[in-house]
Amino acid sequence: MNKLQAMEVFVQVVDAGGFSRAADAMQLPKATVSTLIQQLEAALSVKLLHRTTRQVTVTADGAAYYERCLRILTDVKDAEESLSRTRLSPSGRLRVDAPTGLASSILVPALPAFFERYPDIQLELGCSDRLVDLIEEGVDCAVRGGTLADSTLIARRVGVLNMLTCASPEYLAQYGTPHHPRELERHRCVNYFSAKTGKIYDWDFTRDGERIQIPLPGVIAVNDSTAYVEAGLAGLGVLQMTDYLLRDHLASGRMVQILPDWVSDPIPINIVYPQNRHLSTKVRVFVEWVAELFDSHPSMRVRALAPNVNQPQPTAEPEIA
């Protein structure tokens, strides 16, 4: 038995919560994973895992051994990287998840520069506005908008999203231009709902200390940022969207900003990863690259998020991005 490989397999089984998911993540046959765990338990003369037909859980001895394995594997990884070019040229598969709009408008156009810097990384970029389970789905890190509800994740603040309220010229010509948020209650609005709960999000506005947070009427609600913008362009109603997704449409005249004196709460953007997973070099360089990318973007810099103790925090669900 290769003891180091067995330890790696054991850590992966615990992280993934099952033999099949661990086997998929490590690209090993399930039988090999099972055999290595059995050999490891036999060598240690201790039961590391509770197995049922539905789930795999760690025993008390297994939990203690898991922490030791993490430290040992981290030390081995650091030793290898200190004696190789890996730190300068990280390699391997990197699985990242990001909101659709942010991925298509900000991340993907900048990726040529990332690959020029790190040519040996193979990136798998999942693009959706749903909340993925990083461990369950084998994702190394994720870009998320909003405050974080999952305390098991480590997060680094890398930027903010600033929101604008807009409508198409055709919509405004037909229904008129509102000059106060309360007037939107007599308009059609494009709403956004949570992919997880189905809840439609309220709209918020602040001006000179006055704050308004209200649900607004609409004939359509979506849970995808691309569809959201397209609904506004089609004249289906007023929308409240991140400014970087509206910038080109505003410049071309296909969208018109309304209520410019009323500010919506900026949404923090974080990169998150599991706290029980060693932060590999490839994840670390990706996090640093995203932080640099967002800091160079005029509307996404972290310092643009001014704290306001009187304002509620944005929802923990990933927001329109």
Side-chain angles (χ1 to χ4, degrees), residues 9-55:
V9 167
F10 171 65
V11 167
Q12 187 64 49
V13 169
V14 174
D15 285 347
F19 286 81
S20 296
R21 290 190 290 272
D24 291 341
M26 300 188 74
Q27 298 182 336
L28 292 172
K30 182 181 176 182
T32 300
V33 171
S34 181
T35 298
L36 284 170
I37 295 298
Q38 291 173 2
Q39 292 175 344
L40 188 61
E41 289 179 324
L44 297 171
S45 299
V46 67
K47 190 176 183 64
L48 299 173
L49 299 169
H50 292 301
R51 306 165 179 81
T52 69
T53 56
R54 293 187 176 182
Q55 63 180 351

Side-chain angles (χ1 to χ4, degrees), residues 291-310:
E292 292 176 14
L293 177 65
F294 288 0
D295 190 59
S296 67
H297 197 285
S299 63
M300 298 184 70
R301 296 188 181 100
V302 173
R303 55 183 172 271
L305 182 59
N308 186 337
V309 296
N310 295 319

Side-chain angles (χ1 to χ4, degrees), residues 118-151:
Y118 306 110
D120 298 321
I121 291 179
Q122 294 86 48
L123 180 64
E124 295 182 5
L125 179 60
C127 304
S128 77
D129 290 347
R130 71 180 181 90
L131 188 66
V132 302
D133 186 315
L134 273 65
I135 294 177
E136 179 81 14
E137 301 182 40
V139 176
D140 293 302
C141 63
V143 183
R144 289 187 175 169
T147 53
L148 303 173
D150 191 344
S151 61

Side-chain angles (χ1 to χ4, degrees), residues 105-124:
S105 298
I106 304 295
L107 294 180
V108 172
L111 282 178
F114 175 79
F115 289 122
E116 184 177 353
R117 190 185 302 182
Y118 306 110
D120 298 321
I121 291 179
Q122 294 86 48
L123 180 64
E124 295 182 5

Side-chain angles (χ1 to χ4, degrees), residues 25-227:
M26 300 188 74
Q27 298 182 336
L28 292 172
K30 182 181 176 182
T32 300
V33 171
S34 181
T35 298
L36 284 170
I37 295 298
Q38 291 173 2
Q39 292 175 344
L40 188 61
E41 289 179 324
L44 297 171
S45 299
V46 67
K47 190 176 183 64
L48 299 173
L49 299 169
H50 292 301
R51 306 165 179 81
T52 69
T53 56
R54 293 187 176 182
Q55 63 180 351
V56 174
T57 57
V58 67
T59 65
D61 288 331
Y65 187 65
Y66 170 84
E67 296 299 330
R68 293 290 186 90
C69 286
L70 279 182
R71 288 196 291 270
I72 291 170
L73 293 172
T74 298
D75 288 342
V76 170
K77 183 74 172 177
D78 289 343
E80 291 174 344
E81 291 181 349
S82 68
L83 298 175
S84 69
R85 291 180 55 84
T86 303
R87 186 170 299 278
L88 297 177
S89 182
S91 62
R93 185 182 71 161
L94 176 63
R95 296 197 64 192
V96 177
D97 189 82
T100 304
L102 190 147
S104 60
S105 298
I106 304 295
L107 294 180
V108 172
L111 282 178
F114 175 79
F115 289 122
E116 184 177 353
R117 190 185 302 182
Y118 306 110
D120 298 321
I121 291 179
Q122 294 86 48
L123 180 64
E124 295 182 5
L125 179 60
C127 304
S128 77
D129 290 347
R130 71 180 181 90
L131 188 66
V132 302
D133 186 315
L134 273 65
I135 294 177
E136 179 81 14
E137 301 182 40
V139 176
D140 293 302
C141 63
V143 183
R144 289 187 175 169
T147 53
L148 303 173
D150 191 344
S151 61
T152 66
L153 297 176
I154 295 176
R156 174 174 171 178
R157 178 73 59 80
V158 291
V160 296
L161 299 176
N162 293 292
M163 312 293 286
L164 299 177
T165 306
C166 297
S168 70
E170 294 78 12
Y171 175 88
L172 296 176
Q174 182 174 357
Y175 295 99
T177 300
H179 298 286
H180 190 279
R182 290 293 181 187
E183 294 180 29
L184 291 175
E185 294 174 313
R186 301 190 297 272
H187 277 257
R188 293 184 176 188
C189 297
V190 181
N191 280 309
Y192 196 93
F193 68 90
S194 165
K196 182 178 181 180
T197 66
K199 178 184 180 295
I200 292 179
Y201 294 110
D202 291 346
W203 296 43
D204 65 85
F205 302 90
T206 302
R207 185 183 69 177
D208 299 331
E210 179 185 3
R211 178 177 173 80
I212 298 173
Q213 184 167 344
I214 50 175
L216 290 173
V219 296
I220 184 172
V222 300
N223 66 349
D224 176 87
S225 54
T226 301

Side-chain angles (χ1 to χ4, degrees), residues 168 170 229-237 254-255:
S168 70
E170 294 78 12
V229 172
E230 290 300 321
L233 291 170
L236 293 175
R254 297 186 66 198
M255 296 294 291

